[in-house]
Amino acid sequence: MCKHSTPCPPADAIDHDAARVTASFPEQGWSLLCNGVIVFDDTGELMPDGSTVAPHRGPAPHKPVLAAA
């Protein structure tokens, strides 16, 4: 699929998220990557073979809130 120099990683590569965005629809919350992967704003993914990857965000980094003395 990738026709530019320095080809993007294929959809089955561990770093497939590093592929270039070919179409972006921020109002709908998704983008199509050059390797055919659709990535969603919630970090879920739809692979070219129809399989899915569940959202995989880590927990938000929070600073402890200290009680006022």
Side-chain angles (χ1 to χ4, degrees):
M1 294 178 134
C2 191
K3 297 189 189 307
H4 46 262
S5 61
T6 313
C8 292
D12 59 353
I14 192 81
D15 61 344
H16 63 266
D17 290 339
R20 290 186 187 183
V21 173
T22 59
S24 179
F25 299 90
E27 68 281 359
Q28 295 177 358
W30 64 276
S31 296
L32 173 65
L33 302 182
C34 187
N35 56 10
V37 175
I38 296 173
V39 292
F40 297 94
D41 287 351
D42 70 353
T43 70
E45 300 172 357
L46 178 60
M47 306 305 279
D49 66 1
S51 63
T52 60
V53 176
H56 49 277
R57 277 190 262 197
H62 295 288
K63 293 182 180 179
V65 177
L66 300 175

